PDB file of all heavy atoms in Angstrom:
ATOM      1  N   THR V 132      13.505-101.229 -33.398  1.00 91.00           N
ATOM      2  CA  THR V 132      14.990-100.977 -33.489  1.00 91.00           C
ATOM      3  C   THR V 132      15.723-102.316 -33.546  1.00 91.00           C
ATOM      4  O   THR V 132      15.183-103.374 -33.187  1.00 91.00           O
ATOM      5  CB  THR V 132      15.459-100.128 -32.288  1.00 91.00           C
ATOM      6  OG1 THR V 132      15.498-100.998 -31.097  1.00 91.00           O
ATOM      7  CG2 THR V 132      14.636 -98.957 -32.047  1.00 91.00           C
ATOM      8  N   LYS V 133      16.982-102.240 -33.976  1.00 93.00           N
ATOM      9  CA  LYS V 133      17.833-103.379 -34.004  1.00 93.00           C
ATOM     10  C   LYS V 133      18.016-103.999 -32.663  1.00 93.00           C
ATOM     11  O   LYS V 133      17.987-105.211 -32.468  1.00 93.00           O
ATOM     12  CB  LYS V 133      19.126-103.068 -34.637  1.00 93.00           C
ATOM     13  CG  LYS V 133      19.073-102.823 -36.188  1.00 93.00           C
ATOM     14  CD  LYS V 133      20.434-102.677 -36.779  1.00 93.00           C
ATOM     15  CE  LYS V 133      20.271-102.544 -38.335  1.00 93.00           C
ATOM     16  NZ  LYS V 133      21.571-102.722 -38.963  1.00 93.00           N
ATOM     17  N   ALA V 134      18.152-103.106 -31.672  1.00 94.00           N
ATOM     18  CA  ALA V 134      18.306-103.591 -30.252  1.00 94.00           C
ATOM     19  C   ALA V 134      17.088-104.418 -29.817  1.00 94.00           C
ATOM     20  O   ALA V 134      17.244-105.470 -29.316  1.00 94.00           O
ATOM     21  CB  ALA V 134      18.545-102.431 -29.365  1.00 94.00           C
ATOM     22  N   HIS V 135      15.903-103.896 -30.156  1.00 93.00           N
ATOM     23  CA  HIS V 135      14.691-104.607 -29.785  1.00 93.00           C
ATOM     24  C   HIS V 135      14.581-105.892 -30.542  1.00 93.00           C
ATOM     25  O   HIS V 135      14.121-106.853 -29.874  1.00 93.00           O
ATOM     26  CB  HIS V 135      13.483-103.745 -30.004  1.00 93.00           C
ATOM     27  CG  HIS V 135      13.414-102.462 -29.168  1.00 93.00           C
ATOM     28  ND1 HIS V 135      12.489-101.496 -29.326  1.00 93.00           N
ATOM     29  CD2 HIS V 135      14.200-102.168 -28.076  1.00 93.00           C
ATOM     30  CE1 HIS V 135      12.692-100.559 -28.412  1.00 93.00           C
ATOM     31  NE2 HIS V 135      13.722-100.927 -27.682  1.00 93.00           N
ATOM     32  N   VAL V 136      14.940-105.946 -31.796  1.00 95.00           N
ATOM     33  CA  VAL V 136      14.949-107.237 -32.554  1.00 95.00           C
ATOM     34  C   VAL V 136      15.835-108.244 -31.860  1.00 95.00           C
ATOM     35  O   VAL V 136      15.412-109.392 -31.628  1.00 95.00           O
ATOM     36  CB  VAL V 136      15.355-107.055 -33.994  1.00 95.00           C
ATOM     37  CG1 VAL V 136      15.662-108.395 -34.700  1.00 95.00           C
ATOM     38  CG2 VAL V 136      14.436-106.254 -34.751  1.00 95.00           C
ATOM     39  N   ASN V 137      17.040-107.870 -31.371  1.00 96.00           N
ATOM     40  CA  ASN V 137      17.961-108.813 -30.769  1.00 96.00           C
ATOM     41  C   ASN V 137      17.415-109.258 -29.430  1.00 96.00           C
ATOM     42  O   ASN V 137      17.626-110.362 -29.027  1.00 96.00           O
ATOM     43  CB  ASN V 137      19.328-108.116 -30.649  1.00 96.00           C
ATOM     44  CG  ASN V 137      19.996-107.962 -31.979  1.00 96.00           C
ATOM     45  OD1 ASN V 137      20.006-108.926 -32.775  1.00 96.00           O
ATOM     46  ND2 ASN V 137      20.460-106.727 -32.319  1.00 96.00           N
ATOM     47  N   ILE V 138      16.765-108.368 -28.638  1.00 96.00           N
ATOM     48  CA  ILE V 138      16.163-108.713 -27.404  1.00 96.00           C
ATOM     49  C   ILE V 138      15.074-109.769 -27.622  1.00 96.00           C
ATOM     50  O   ILE V 138      15.030-110.816 -26.954  1.00 96.00           O
ATOM     51  CB  ILE V 138      15.638-107.539 -26.610  1.00 96.00           C
ATOM     52  CG1 ILE V 138      16.783-106.644 -26.178  1.00 96.00           C
ATOM     53  CG2 ILE V 138      14.807-107.967 -25.464  1.00 96.00           C
ATOM     54  CD1 ILE V 138      16.334-105.214 -25.714  1.00 96.00           C
ATOM     55  N   GLU V 139      14.179-109.530 -28.604  1.00 94.00           N
ATOM     56  CA  GLU V 139      13.114-110.434 -28.903  1.00 94.00           C
ATOM     57  C   GLU V 139      13.651-111.742 -29.423  1.00 94.00           C
ATOM     58  O   GLU V 139      13.164-112.838 -29.069  1.00 94.00           O
ATOM     59  CB  GLU V 139      12.145-109.829 -29.913  1.00 94.00           C
ATOM     60  CG  GLU V 139      11.381-108.640 -29.431  1.00 94.00           C
ATOM     61  CD  GLU V 139      10.530-108.926 -28.103  1.00 94.00           C
ATOM     62  OE1 GLU V 139       9.929-109.997 -28.095  1.00 94.00           O
ATOM     63  OE2 GLU V 139      10.519-108.100 -27.286  1.00 94.00           O
ATOM     64  N   MET V 140      14.757-111.706 -30.233  1.00 96.00           N
ATOM     65  CA  MET V 140      15.346-112.975 -30.677  1.00 96.00           C
ATOM     66  C   MET V 140      15.936-113.737 -29.547  1.00 96.00           C
ATOM     67  O   MET V 140      15.767-115.010 -29.469  1.00 96.00           O
ATOM     68  CB  MET V 140      16.380-112.624 -31.722  1.00 96.00           C
ATOM     69  CG  MET V 140      17.041-113.866 -32.389  1.00 96.00           C
ATOM     70  SD  MET V 140      15.838-114.932 -33.199  1.00 96.00           S
ATOM     71  CE  MET V 140      15.566-113.909 -34.669  1.00 96.00           C
ATOM     72  N   TYR V 141      16.588-113.068 -28.644  1.00 97.00           N
ATOM     73  CA  TYR V 141      17.113-113.761 -27.429  1.00 97.00           C
ATOM     74  C   TYR V 141      16.026-114.420 -26.663  1.00 97.00           C
ATOM     75  O   TYR V 141      16.133-115.617 -26.234  1.00 97.00           O
ATOM     76  CB  TYR V 141      17.856-112.793 -26.517  1.00 97.00           C
ATOM     77  CG  TYR V 141      18.428-113.407 -25.286  1.00 97.00           C
ATOM     78  CD1 TYR V 141      19.761-113.847 -25.318  1.00 97.00           C
ATOM     79  CD2 TYR V 141      17.643-113.611 -24.174  1.00 97.00           C
ATOM     80  CE1 TYR V 141      20.281-114.468 -24.190  1.00 97.00           C
ATOM     81  CE2 TYR V 141      18.207-114.217 -23.070  1.00 97.00           C
ATOM     82  CZ  TYR V 141      19.553-114.675 -23.048  1.00 97.00           C
ATOM     83  OH  TYR V 141      20.042-115.310 -21.964  1.00 97.00           O
ATOM     84  N   ASN V 142      14.846-113.734 -26.488  1.00 95.00           N
ATOM     85  CA  ASN V 142      13.794-114.335 -25.666  1.00 95.00           C
ATOM     86  C   ASN V 142      13.161-115.517 -26.363  1.00 95.00           C
ATOM     87  O   ASN V 142      12.844-116.457 -25.695  1.00 95.00           O
ATOM     88  CB  ASN V 142      12.743-113.215 -25.435  1.00 95.00           C
ATOM     89  CG  ASN V 142      13.145-112.047 -24.550  1.00 95.00           C
ATOM     90  OD1 ASN V 142      14.240-112.215 -23.892  1.00 95.00           O
ATOM     91  ND2 ASN V 142      12.408-111.025 -24.504  1.00 95.00           N
ATOM     92  N   VAL V 143      13.011-115.452 -27.680  1.00 94.00           N
ATOM     93  CA  VAL V 143      12.492-116.672 -28.408  1.00 94.00           C
ATOM     94  C   VAL V 143      13.518-117.772 -28.390  1.00 94.00           C
ATOM     95  O   VAL V 143      13.031-118.908 -28.147  1.00 94.00           O
ATOM     96  CB  VAL V 143      12.073-116.235 -29.864  1.00 94.00           C
ATOM     97  CG1 VAL V 143      11.885-117.494 -30.741  1.00 94.00           C
ATOM     98  CG2 VAL V 143      10.922-115.347 -29.866  1.00 94.00           C
ATOM     99  N   ALA V 144      14.766-117.509 -28.539  1.00 95.00           N
ATOM    100  CA  ALA V 144      15.801-118.567 -28.456  1.00 95.00           C
ATOM    101  C   ALA V 144      15.836-119.135 -27.064  1.00 95.00           C
ATOM    102  O   ALA V 144      15.949-120.350 -26.936  1.00 95.00           O
ATOM    103  CB  ALA V 144      17.170-117.885 -28.901  1.00 95.00           C
ATOM    104  N   ASP V 145      15.627-118.341 -26.005  1.00 95.00           N
ATOM    105  CA  ASP V 145      15.583-118.909 -24.771  1.00 95.00           C
ATOM    106  C   ASP V 145      14.372-119.762 -24.538  1.00 95.00           C
ATOM    107  O   ASP V 145      14.504-120.900 -23.977  1.00 95.00           O
ATOM    108  CB  ASP V 145      15.526-117.736 -23.677  1.00 95.00           C
ATOM    109  CG  ASP V 145      15.536-118.248 -22.217  1.00 95.00           C
ATOM    110  OD1 ASP V 145      16.575-118.611 -21.722  1.00 95.00           O
ATOM    111  OD2 ASP V 145      14.445-118.250 -21.679  1.00 95.00           O
ATOM    112  N   LYS V 146      13.252-119.384 -25.113  1.00 93.00           N
ATOM    113  CA  LYS V 146      12.048-120.082 -24.974  1.00 93.00           C
ATOM    114  C   LYS V 146      12.188-121.531 -25.618  1.00 93.00           C
ATOM    115  O   LYS V 146      11.708-122.533 -24.996  1.00 93.00           O
ATOM    116  CB  LYS V 146      10.906-119.421 -25.657  1.00 93.00           C
ATOM    117  CG  LYS V 146       9.559-120.076 -25.703  1.00 93.00           C
ATOM    118  CD  LYS V 146       8.505-119.265 -26.392  1.00 93.00           C
ATOM    119  CE  LYS V 146       7.146-119.976 -26.424  1.00 93.00           C
ATOM    120  NZ  LYS V 146       6.171-119.028 -27.022  1.00 93.00           N
ATOM    121  N   TYR V 147      12.887-121.608 -26.737  1.00 92.00           N
ATOM    122  CA  TYR V 147      13.148-122.871 -27.416  1.00 92.00           C
ATOM    123  C   TYR V 147      14.434-123.563 -27.114  1.00 92.00           C
ATOM    124  O   TYR V 147      14.811-124.541 -27.757  1.00 92.00           O
ATOM    125  CB  TYR V 147      12.940-122.713 -28.884  1.00 92.00           C
ATOM    126  CG  TYR V 147      11.520-122.301 -29.303  1.00 92.00           C
ATOM    127  CD1 TYR V 147      11.223-121.001 -29.728  1.00 92.00           C
ATOM    128  CD2 TYR V 147      10.436-123.161 -29.131  1.00 92.00           C
ATOM    129  CE1 TYR V 147       9.916-120.671 -30.038  1.00 92.00           C
ATOM    130  CE2 TYR V 147       9.188-122.781 -29.543  1.00 92.00           C
ATOM    131  CZ  TYR V 147       8.935-121.526 -29.861  1.00 92.00           C
ATOM    132  OH  TYR V 147       7.602-121.119 -30.208  1.00 92.00           O
ATOM    133  N   ALA V 148      15.141-122.980 -26.099  1.00 94.00           N
ATOM    134  CA  ALA V 148      16.463-123.523 -25.638  1.00 94.00           C
ATOM    135  C   ALA V 148      17.494-123.642 -26.802  1.00 94.00           C
ATOM    136  O   ALA V 148      18.102-124.639 -26.873  1.00 94.00           O
ATOM    137  CB  ALA V 148      16.235-124.874 -24.960  1.00 94.00           C
ATOM    138  N   ILE V 149      17.596-122.577 -27.595  1.00 96.00           N
ATOM    139  CA  ILE V 149      18.549-122.619 -28.697  1.00 96.00           C
ATOM    140  C   ILE V 149      19.680-121.697 -28.259  1.00 96.00           C
ATOM    141  O   ILE V 149      19.799-120.519 -28.525  1.00 96.00           O
ATOM    142  CB  ILE V 149      17.911-122.078 -29.999  1.00 96.00           C
ATOM    143  CG1 ILE V 149      16.618-122.845 -30.302  1.00 96.00           C
ATOM    144  CG2 ILE V 149      18.859-122.179 -31.145  1.00 96.00           C
ATOM    145  CD1 ILE V 149      15.801-122.234 -31.412  1.00 96.00           C
ATOM    146  N   GLU V 150      20.643-122.315 -27.518  1.00 96.00           N
ATOM    147  CA  GLU V 150      21.660-121.586 -26.940  1.00 96.00           C
ATOM    148  C   GLU V 150      22.596-120.828 -27.931  1.00 96.00           C
ATOM    149  O   GLU V 150      23.001-119.665 -27.658  1.00 96.00           O
ATOM    150  CB  GLU V 150      22.474-122.469 -25.965  1.00 96.00           C
ATOM    151  CG  GLU V 150      21.659-122.824 -24.706  1.00 96.00           C
ATOM    152  CD  GLU V 150      22.449-123.607 -23.701  1.00 96.00           C
ATOM    153  OE1 GLU V 150      23.625-123.434 -23.583  1.00 96.00           O
ATOM    154  OE2 GLU V 150      21.716-124.322 -22.890  1.00 96.00           O
ATOM    155  N   PRO V 151      22.963-121.450 -28.975  1.00 97.00           N
ATOM    156  CA  PRO V 151      23.813-120.640 -29.864  1.00 97.00           C
ATOM    157  C   PRO V 151      23.127-119.383 -30.474  1.00 97.00           C
ATOM    158  O   PRO V 151      23.713-118.392 -30.692  1.00 97.00           O
ATOM    159  CB  PRO V 151      24.095-121.627 -31.117  1.00 97.00           C
ATOM    160  CG  PRO V 151      23.926-123.019 -30.510  1.00 97.00           C
ATOM    161  CD  PRO V 151      22.773-122.830 -29.489  1.00 97.00           C
ATOM    162  N   LEU V 152      21.805-119.452 -30.707  1.00 97.00           N
ATOM    163  CA  LEU V 152      21.043-118.323 -31.061  1.00 97.00           C
ATOM    164  C   LEU V 152      21.024-117.227 -29.986  1.00 97.00           C
ATOM    165  O   LEU V 152      21.051-116.070 -30.221  1.00 97.00           O
ATOM    166  CB  LEU V 152      19.629-118.672 -31.542  1.00 97.00           C
ATOM    167  CG  LEU V 152      18.736-117.557 -32.120  1.00 97.00           C
ATOM    168  CD1 LEU V 152      19.422-116.758 -33.157  1.00 97.00           C
ATOM    169  CD2 LEU V 152      17.423-118.122 -32.656  1.00 97.00           C
ATOM    170  N   MET V 153      20.859-117.742 -28.728  1.00 97.00           N
ATOM    171  CA  MET V 153      20.843-116.731 -27.606  1.00 97.00           C
ATOM    172  C   MET V 153      22.163-115.986 -27.582  1.00 97.00           C
ATOM    173  O   MET V 153      22.200-114.802 -27.362  1.00 97.00           O
ATOM    174  CB  MET V 153      20.625-117.568 -26.340  1.00 97.00           C
ATOM    175  CG  MET V 153      19.267-118.147 -26.122  1.00 97.00           C
ATOM    176  SD  MET V 153      19.162-119.295 -24.755  1.00 97.00           S
ATOM    177  CE  MET V 153      19.660-118.383 -23.360  1.00 97.00           C
ATOM    178  N   ALA V 154      23.303-116.797 -27.721  1.00 97.00           N
ATOM    179  CA  ALA V 154      24.589-116.105 -27.746  1.00 97.00           C
ATOM    180  C   ALA V 154      24.722-115.185 -28.820  1.00 97.00           C
ATOM    181  O   ALA V 154      25.331-114.045 -28.672  1.00 97.00           O
ATOM    182  CB  ALA V 154      25.689-117.237 -27.758  1.00 97.00           C
ATOM    183  N   LEU V 155      24.222-115.447 -30.035  1.00 98.00           N
ATOM    184  CA  LEU V 155      24.388-114.565 -31.159  1.00 98.00           C
ATOM    185  C   LEU V 155      23.507-113.344 -30.939  1.00 98.00           C
ATOM    186  O   LEU V 155      23.994-112.191 -31.203  1.00 98.00           O
ATOM    187  CB  LEU V 155      23.890-115.317 -32.452  1.00 98.00           C
ATOM    188  CG  LEU V 155      23.865-114.442 -33.696  1.00 98.00           C
ATOM    189  CD1 LEU V 155      25.328-113.902 -34.049  1.00 98.00           C
ATOM    190  CD2 LEU V 155      23.360-115.230 -34.902  1.00 98.00           C
ATOM    191  N   ALA V 156      22.316-113.466 -30.454  1.00 97.00           N
ATOM    192  CA  ALA V 156      21.441-112.294 -30.185  1.00 97.00           C
ATOM    193  C   ALA V 156      22.073-111.440 -29.104  1.00 97.00           C
ATOM    194  O   ALA V 156      22.062-110.177 -29.242  1.00 97.00           O
ATOM    195  CB  ALA V 156      20.093-112.769 -29.687  1.00 97.00           C
ATOM    196  N   LYS V 157      22.687-111.987 -28.066  1.00 97.00           N
ATOM    197  CA  LYS V 157      23.397-111.196 -27.042  1.00 97.00           C
ATOM    198  C   LYS V 157      24.568-110.428 -27.623  1.00 97.00           C
ATOM    199  O   LYS V 157      24.759-109.281 -27.410  1.00 97.00           O
ATOM    200  CB  LYS V 157      23.848-112.153 -25.916  1.00 97.00           C
ATOM    201  CG  LYS V 157      24.524-111.474 -24.705  1.00 97.00           C
ATOM    202  CD  LYS V 157      24.875-112.465 -23.709  1.00 97.00           C
ATOM    203  CE  LYS V 157      25.524-111.803 -22.469  1.00 97.00           C
ATOM    204  NZ  LYS V 157      26.863-111.495 -22.611  1.00 97.00           N
ATOM    205  N   LYS V 158      25.334-111.108 -28.453  1.00 97.00           N
ATOM    206  CA  LYS V 158      26.489-110.481 -29.122  1.00 97.00           C
ATOM    207  C   LYS V 158      26.105-109.368 -30.019  1.00 97.00           C
ATOM    208  O   LYS V 158      26.662-108.260 -30.013  1.00 97.00           O
ATOM    209  CB  LYS V 158      27.238-111.560 -29.950  1.00 97.00           C
ATOM    210  CG  LYS V 158      28.482-111.061 -30.648  1.00 97.00           C
ATOM    211  CD  LYS V 158      29.146-112.213 -31.397  1.00 97.00           C
ATOM    212  CE  LYS V 158      30.233-111.666 -32.239  1.00 97.00           C
ATOM    213  NZ  LYS V 158      30.863-112.759 -33.041  1.00 97.00           N
ATOM    214  N   LYS V 159      24.961-109.532 -30.773  1.00 97.00           N
ATOM    215  CA  LYS V 159      24.509-108.542 -31.656  1.00 97.00           C
ATOM    216  C   LYS V 159      23.933-107.299 -30.852  1.00 97.00           C
ATOM    217  O   LYS V 159      24.159-106.122 -31.246  1.00 97.00           O
ATOM    218  CB  LYS V 159      23.429-109.002 -32.607  1.00 97.00           C
ATOM    219  CG  LYS V 159      24.000-109.843 -33.686  1.00 97.00           C
ATOM    220  CD  LYS V 159      22.865-110.313 -34.692  1.00 97.00           C
ATOM    221  CE  LYS V 159      23.414-111.025 -35.872  1.00 97.00           C
ATOM    222  NZ  LYS V 159      22.745-110.529 -37.125  1.00 97.00           N
ATOM    223  N   LEU V 160      23.311-107.500 -29.713  1.00 97.00           N
ATOM    224  CA  LEU V 160      22.831-106.457 -28.980  1.00 97.00           C
ATOM    225  C   LEU V 160      24.053-105.664 -28.324  1.00 97.00           C
ATOM    226  O   LEU V 160      23.973-104.520 -28.340  1.00 97.00           O
ATOM    227  CB  LEU V 160      21.939-106.998 -27.788  1.00 97.00           C
ATOM    228  CG  LEU V 160      21.462-105.924 -26.779  1.00 97.00           C
ATOM    229  CD1 LEU V 160      20.568-104.926 -27.421  1.00 97.00           C
ATOM    230  CD2 LEU V 160      20.717-106.576 -25.691  1.00 97.00           C
ATOM    231  N   GLU V 161      25.021-106.385 -27.890  1.00 97.00           N
ATOM    232  CA  GLU V 161      26.271-105.778 -27.286  1.00 97.00           C
ATOM    233  C   GLU V 161      26.852-104.862 -28.361  1.00 97.00           C
ATOM    234  O   GLU V 161      27.283-103.668 -28.074  1.00 97.00           O
ATOM    235  CB  GLU V 161      27.184-106.716 -26.729  1.00 97.00           C
ATOM    236  CG  GLU V 161      26.748-107.386 -25.478  1.00 97.00           C
ATOM    237  CD  GLU V 161      27.501-108.562 -25.060  1.00 97.00           C
ATOM    238  OE1 GLU V 161      28.402-109.117 -25.828  1.00 97.00           O
ATOM    239  OE2 GLU V 161      27.376-109.099 -23.955  1.00 97.00           O
ATOM    240  N   TYR V 162      27.036-105.399 -29.536  1.00 96.00           N
ATOM    241  CA  TYR V 162      27.615-104.713 -30.646  1.00 96.00           C
ATOM    242  C   TYR V 162      26.772-103.414 -30.951  1.00 96.00           C
ATOM    243  O   TYR V 162      27.376-102.353 -31.073  1.00 96.00           O
ATOM    244  CB  TYR V 162      27.673-105.585 -31.892  1.00 96.00           C
ATOM    245  CG  TYR V 162      28.181-104.813 -33.128  1.00 96.00           C
ATOM    246  CD1 TYR V 162      29.596-104.529 -33.239  1.00 96.00           C
ATOM    247  CD2 TYR V 162      27.363-104.451 -34.115  1.00 96.00           C
ATOM    248  CE1 TYR V 162      30.014-103.877 -34.323  1.00 96.00           C
ATOM    249  CE2 TYR V 162      27.793-103.777 -35.256  1.00 96.00           C
ATOM    250  CZ  TYR V 162      29.182-103.458 -35.373  1.00 96.00           C
ATOM    251  OH  TYR V 162      29.652-102.793 -36.467  1.00 96.00           O
TER     252      TYR V 162
END
Side-chain angles (χ1 to χ4, degrees):
T132 68
K133 287 186 176 194
H135 293 172
V136 168
N137 291 311
I138 292 166
E139 294 301 320
M140 183 62 73
Y141 181 93
N142 293 348
V143 167
D145 181 78
K146 179 179 180 178
Y147 296 109
I149 307 168
E150 291 186 26
L152 181 54
M153 289 168 58
L155 178 61
K157 182 177 183 280
K158 180 179 173 184
K159 286 185 173 223
L160 177 62
E161 290 169 346
Y162 175 75

